Every structure is written in structure tokens, then in C-alpha cells.
Amino acid sequence: MTSQTGVSGGLSDEELARAFCDGDVQSFEELVRRYMKPMFNFAYRMTGNSAEADDLAQDVFLQVYRSLPTARLDLPFKPWIYIIARNKCLDFLKRKRPIAFSNLAGDDDDDNPIDSVAGHEPLPEELLESADLQRILREAVLALPERYRTVVSLRYSADLSFAEIGEALGLPENTVKTQFQRAKAMLRRELAGSL
Amino acid sequence: MIEPRDDVDLAFERAGQLDPPDDFLARVLMNTRTDQVPLVAVRRGRQLVTPACLFLLALLALAVLAYQLGLAAGHNGVDILLGSLIRNIDLLSDAPAVYAGALLASIPWLNVLAVLFDLAILLLAGRLLTGGAMAGGRVRAGV
């Protein structure tokens, strides 16, 4: 049995999931309370729109409700719910506009010289003090390719570790770290250019 | 191992996280209680109601207008003219202008226009329905 973080209230996510499958509906409500804010923020980072994020997050929890009774309860809950969330968001984005295949998946083992050239200068202090920081970050994240946006959103909105992100995305942890660092370099360039 | 924080991390930390709508939890619980279809699909379903109603109304109207066209055509003698032509095809070569003039004068053009207009509406409603239904069909399970 694997126990994860999120033990507020005394029960882990996996224990709550098992209790729900045994008929305790309050356990599902507790899971929603724990995940609704990070889930909403993850969907918001992916779509840039709070109404769409609301709909998607609602759909994720409805899918969780339907799928939990047949899900593998021996596996960690957190990566599993974000697999659902990521798939929902990508499906939604695909419906909104075509996505180049190279944006969805890719092998990051090869060096990308474009990513390594710039993006190392520190961000200006006035950016960090900006009252519009949330909007600036939203636009910078939306400018990222989908695979990088997913990693960044899972890291910052869902607060997943690299190992958990790797589980959610089906990637090795080192690949996730590489993608995250490249995404940060792109973000730094975007954020510096937004002033 | 704790990853060292940099300025990008700090930017996200300072921006903080948004709060979901106040009724978010209530809506999730309500949806799960009734196990409604995903909100995205519901919204798409609602978008199909108007073209569906338009299609049905246009279909009913077509039946009525087509019936009225038939009545008017019969009243004007179109069936007699066409019957004459079927019995004697030489009418076309013997007196084409006269025949054509008689036929054109007997066709109830207002009724024909009404039927054509209704067919156009039917076609438009059909396209709206199939376009919306195809978009809704792409919604699939998350896992």
C-alpha cells in the first residue's frame, strides 16, 4: 500500500479513495476539497481562461467520481487525478485549435541550442512587484508549447514533484526536469519581454 | 532533495493561486449526485436545441407548403398540361413557345418560392445540427 502526502484530516488520498469506493460519499467530498484549488489553477494555467478552467475542473471531478470504483487503488492517487486533468485539458485545447504533433510529445534527449542560448538573465524586480503579475504569468505560460505548459502547470499549480509529474505524464523524471528547465528559460524570456 | 528556488519560482509564488468559484464544490457534488453528463457536453447539447427546433419546424412547414403547392398546381391545371405532354410529346416540337408559356403561367410561383425558401432553412438547420453534433462527439473520457 502506498501512502502519499495530503494527510490533512488524518486520512491519505488513497485511504479516502478506498473509503469512497466502500460507499462513504463524504470521502469523495474531502478529496474534492483538497484538489479543487490546485485543479482549478492547473486548468487555468493550461487554458488561460477561468470559465473554461471551471468547466474542465468540474469535468475532472466528475470523471474521478465515475472512474474511482474501477481504478487501481494500490497506485498513488495524485498522479492519477492529474492524468485525467491533463487529458481533459489537451482534448479541450485540441478541439479549440489544431495542435502540431511536435507540441504534444517529443524526445528531449537531444540538445536544443535555441533553449540554451538565452533565458538566463534574472527577471527585473519591477516584474516581480507588478500588480499585473498574474496576467503576465498567464500569458507567458500560454505562449509555451503544450508539453512545456503541462509540466509548468503541474509543477506550479498542482505542486507535484518531478517524480509525480513523470508518473502523470508517463515520462522519466530526468526528462521532466529537462523539460521544466527549458520551459523556465522560455518563461524567463517571455517575462522579460513583457515589460 | 529540495530544488533551489529561482526568480521564476519566486514570480509564481508571488502571483499566488486563484480561488475557484464559491459554488464550485456544491456544483461538483450536485453533478455527481445526479451523475449528469460533463458540463462541456451539456453546454454543447444546449447549443443544439435551437437548430434542432428550427429543423423540425422547417420539416413540418415543408410538408404543409408542399401540400399547398400541389393543390395550387392542380388548381392551375399544371397536371393537365403535363399529362397532355406525356400523351403527346409532339407538343414540344409543334408549339414549344405556346406550351412553355402556358406551363410557366400555370406554375404557382409563390408556392414554389415558399418551398425553396423552406428547403434552404432546412439545409441550414441541418448543417448547424451536424456541425454541433460532431463537435460534441469528440468529448471523451479522461482515462
Side-chain angles (χ1 to χ4, degrees):
Chain A
M1 182 187 296
T2 307
S3 288
Q4 295 293 315
T5 54
V7 195
S8 60
L11 293 177
S12 67
D13 296 342
E14 290 71 26
E15 286 167 334
L16 286 173
R18 262 188 287 277
F20 168 67
C21 293
D22 289 338
D24 180 16
V25 182
Q26 294 295 325
S27 298
F28 178 76
E29 183 174 334
E30 177 59 26
L31 282 171
V32 177
R33 285 182 195 278
R34 285 183 187 179
Y35 282 94
M36 62 183 191
K37 186 166 179 175
M39 190 59 64
F40 177 80
N41 278 274
F42 171 74
Y44 178 72
R45 289 273 174 240
M46 291 295 288
T47 62
N49 181 293
S50 55
E52 291 166 354
D54 185 17
D55 284 348
L56 284 166
Q58 289 275 326
D59 282 351
V60 168
F61 287 114
L62 193 59
Q63 185 64 50
V64 168
Y65 181 86
R66 289 171 174 168
S67 300
L68 258 181
T70 55
R72 287 191 56 183
L73 300 179
D74 57 319
L75 296 177
F77 178 82
K78 201 171 184 180
W80 178 77
I81 194 174
Y82 283 106
I83 291 174
I84 297 174
R86 179 227 181 195
N87 289 343
K88 291 277 184 192
C89 290
L90 288 185
D91 280 350
F92 174 80
L93 292 171
K94 273 186 228 173
R95 284 195 302 276
K96 276 187 78 172
R97 68 179 189 283
I99 298 172
F101 181 76
S102 59
N103 278 345
L104 289 175
D107 189 351
D108 286 281
D109 289 342
D110 54 333
D111 288 329
N112 187 338
I114 294 172
D115 291 333
S116 61
V117 167
H120 295 290
E121 298 78 24
L123 294 173
E125 192 59 33
E126 56 263 35
L127 174 74
L128 299 176
E129 302 297 331
S130 169
D132 226 9
L133 183 58
Q134 187 67 256
R135 179 191 61 80
I136 294 169
L137 286 174
R138 183 192 75 213
E139 289 172 5
V141 171
L142 284 176
L144 294 174
E146 252 83 21
R147 63 184 168 184
Y148 290 173
R149 192 189 312 170
T150 304
V151 171
V152 163
S153 301
L154 287 173
R155 182 71 174 168
Y156 288 126
S157 301
D159 198 27
L160 263 65
S161 67
F162 291 123
E164 288 171 330
I165 295 173
E167 276 188 76
L169 301 182
L171 296 172
E173 185 177 344
N174 284 337
T175 302
V176 172
K177 287 182 180 176
T178 303
Q179 287 187 349
F180 184 66
Q181 291 307 320
R182 287 182 177 165
K184 278 177 119 175
M186 295 173 75
L187 278 174
R188 196 171 279 112
R189 278 197 304 275
E190 279 290 326
L191 292 171
S194 65
L195 285 177
Chain B
M1 186 180 79
I2 298 174
E3 300 282 331
R5 283 170 48 207
D6 60 17
D7 46 359
V8 176
D9 298 325
L10 194 58
F12 278 93
E13 192 178 301
R14 286 195 182 177
Q17 297 215 357
L18 300 175
D19 288 317
D22 291 338
D23 63 342
F24 184 91
L25 175 61
R27 280 184 284 125
V28 169
L29 297 178
M30 182 187 72
N31 288 338
T32 55
R33 246 178 252 130
T34 56
D35 198 12
Q36 295 174 4
V37 294
L39 292 174
V40 174
V42 168
R43 187 159 292 122
R44 263 200 207 92
R46 287 197 189 122
Q47 288 172 353
L48 294 177
V49 169
T50 302
C53 289
L54 187 64
F55 187 86
L56 282 173
L57 284 172
L59 202 57
L60 281 170
L62 182 64
V64 172
L65 291 171
Y67 177 73
Q68 285 182 335
L69 174 62
L71 279 180
H75 182 264
N76 291 358
V78 171
D79 55 332
I80 296 171
L81 280 170
L82 290 174
S84 304
L85 183 65
I86 290 169
R87 282 189 294 275
N88 182 12
I89 199 70
D90 292 332
L91 277 173
L92 277 181
S93 51
D94 291 347
V98 173
Y99 184 82
L103 188 61
L104 286 172
S106 65
I107 290 174
W109 290 108
L110 277 179
N111 296 83
V112 169
L113 281 173
V115 168
L116 288 175
F117 180 74
D118 185 70
L119 282 172
I121 294 176
L122 202 60
L123 187 66
L124 174 67
R127 286 198 170 173
L128 289 172
L129 267 177
T130 52
M134 279 174 65
R138 289 190 203 115
V139 174
R140 64 171 176 82
V143 286

